[in-house]
Amino acid sequence: MIDLRSDTVTQPTDAMRAAMANAVVGDDQYGEDPSVRELEALGARLLGKEAAVFVASGTMGNLAALLAWCGRGDEIIMGDECHIFWYESGGAAALGGMPFALLPNTRTGEIDLDRVRKMIRQKNRPGYPRTGVICIENTHNRCGGVPLRQEYLTQLAALAREHDVPVHMDGARIFNAAAALDLPAEEIARNADSVQFCLTKCLAAPVGSLIAGSADFVQRARAGRKILGGAMRQAGVIAAAGIVALQTMIDRLPEDHRRARRLAEGLAQIDGITIDLDVVQSNIVIFKVEPAIDQAEFVAAMKARGVLVSNYGTRGARMVTHYGISDDDIATALEVARTVMSAPVAA
Ligand code: TLP
């Protein structure tokens, strides 16, 4: 099977497995796990932040960060295509009592700044909730893995500062954004007060995310992690793989991006497929097969021929390149897509 459903399907490398077997560990809730501490320090340094905390998943990282910024009833401004809204079980509302203030995402994953300005609540106005935080996603998954423009981030940060509202970046794939823009991750993180990033996507670690920010923020995020049942003990066993991920898997990301681009350009040439090639700048390729063929039928037909693709609902179908995907796999996936599209069952 050629598994293009997600970069979350990556297997840990041999170096990660060896590091896990040999990890020096301690009780992390006493602050005594040397591997966790090393991972947190490395993550904070790479993002140019004061501190970081290790969490079990991207979802937990986003929620712990939101709990750190908001009290019950505080509103979260976010784009209507963001992961936090779509795929995190409404955790911020369910567990934090925080309402979502949704604004439309543009095709490049941005939220119009004038609309953000108008959505930020006037302070101390009876009946108005408090605006707790503005969330952005970089790269933007449902917007085709597009990295947010740096000028946009700088303007958003200035607007947020002006209103004294923090910015949280769901940077699950921040290193893909950095590779796509050819910038250090630190530059991208500069415009956010907190950043969640995943070790488990293109970086191929088996478990975990980090949340980075000021020391004060991280202390509050640790409290949020504990509330969520995510404070661990000898977590160095998994942190050890995360260290290897950060040390060895970042530099190879342009390879995944090159393959995604090839895939996207190949798909664009197949009759019945439509794709916005401008947004394909990282490892995610989202495209439409309808109305030529029913989307679910397309996904099933690809699977029957050995290529796994995600059905991304209203966005289209999604293929994601990663460490487990070779040039030959891309060629095969394109060949199979061509075959499936050549005998379509109309949608
Ligand atoms: N995304 C997964 C699915 O949940 C959709 C994927 O296959 O892409 N933020 C972003 C932008 C993400 O894409 C994801 C995972 C997360 C957060 C959550 O990370 P985990 O799965 O570790 O909770």
Side-chain angles (χ1 to χ4, degrees), residues 5-346:
R5 285 171 304 170
S6 182
D7 45 12
T8 59
V9 303
T10 39
Q11 293 283 319
T13 63
D14 290 345
M16 288 178 197
R17 290 177 188 276
M20 291 173 78
N22 297 313
V24 183
V25 299
D27 190 327
D28 183 42
Q29 289 197 45
Y30 289 104
E32 287 174 5
D33 189 303
S35 302
V36 172
R37 291 172 71 141
E38 187 184 335
L39 173 65
E40 291 175 342
L42 178 57
R45 195 163 68 243
L46 285 171
L47 264 67
K49 300 291 186 200
E50 241 172 25
V53 52
F54 185 42
V55 289
S57 67
T59 301
M60 181 183 281
N62 283 331
L63 184 47
L66 298 179
L67 287 169
W69 289 125
C70 303
R72 293 186 72 79
D74 291 352
E75 205 166 52
I76 305 170
I77 296 179
M78 62 175 107
D80 62 355
E81 293 295 350
C82 76
H83 193 278
I84 293 175
F85 173 60
W86 274 86
Y87 300 116
E88 301 187 9
S89 302
L95 303 181
M98 309 162 203
F100 296 162
L102 288 181
L103 290 172
N105 271 125
T106 66
R107 58 183 262 282
T108 52
E110 297 173 8
I111 318 169
D112 179 72
L113 293 177
D114 277 339
R115 296 188 76 154
V116 173
R117 185 185 297 280
K118 286 181 189 133
M119 185 57 94
I120 295 174
R121 303 290 189 156
Q122 200 181 319
K123 284 192 177 139
N124 304 321
R125 172 128 181 206
Y128 277 20
R130 179 179 159 269
T131 297
V133 65
I134 301 167
C135 287
I136 43 170
E137 187 173 313
N138 200 9
T139 60
H140 201 294
N141 183 351
R142 285 176 61 87
C143 292
V146 70
L148 300 182
R149 292 178 303 122
Q150 282 293 102
E151 309 87 274
Y152 170 77
L153 287 181
T154 309
Q155 287 166 4
L156 176 71
L159 170 63
R161 243 192 331 269
E162 194 189 310
H163 293 272
D164 200 20
V165 177
V167 173
H168 172 69
M169 183 184 289
D170 175 357
R173 298 182 179 84
I174 194 172
F175 292 106
N176 293 92
L181 300 174
D182 200 17
L183 286 172
E186 186 176 345
E187 279 297 310
I188 293 172
R190 193 185 300 283
N191 288 307
D193 300 284
S194 60
V195 180
Q196 179 281 119
F197 67 96
C198 295
L199 301 163
T200 53
K201 308 270 166 343
C202 263
L203 303 185
V207 185
S209 278
L210 287 159
I211 343 172
S214 68
D216 182 56
F217 161 80
V218 167
Q219 197 180 357
R220 284 181 283 122
R222 279 185 193 283
R225 179 183 70 160
K226 179 71 180 170
I227 287 173
L228 298 173
M232 297 177 275
R233 298 294 178 185
Q234 285 71 28
V237 172
I238 46 177
I243 295 169
V244 176
L246 291 178
Q247 287 171 340
T248 65
M249 302 301 282
I250 294 174
D251 289 348
R252 58 161 304 285
L253 294 178
E255 238 183 85
D256 295 337
H257 295 187
R258 181 177 56 71
R259 292 196 177 103
R261 188 71 207 173
R262 216 182 112 212
L263 183 60
E265 286 172 0
L267 290 169
Q269 284 170 10
I270 299 176
D271 267 356
I273 291 188
T274 49
I275 179 165
D276 181 355
L277 283 175
D278 290 349
V279 300
V280 183
Q281 296 174 40
S282 68
N283 67 324
I284 295 180
V285 181
I286 294 180
F287 55 98
K288 291 220 155 74
V289 294
E290 292 186 347
I293 177 172
D294 176 79
Q295 192 163 294
E297 299 253 9
F298 172 81
V299 171
M302 292 292 286
K303 184 177 178 184
R305 292 166 176 79
V307 181
L308 298 177
V309 178
S310 282
N311 185 339
Y312 241 47
T314 52
R315 301 304 286 180
R318 187 184 76 159
M319 295 187 186
V320 185
T321 58
H322 52 79
Y323 180 60
I325 296 296
S326 67
D327 287 333
D328 283 352
D329 293 335
I330 298 296
T332 308
L334 282 172
E335 198 45 56
V336 171
R338 224 169 276 127
T339 309
V340 169
M341 294 302 293
S342 67
V345 183

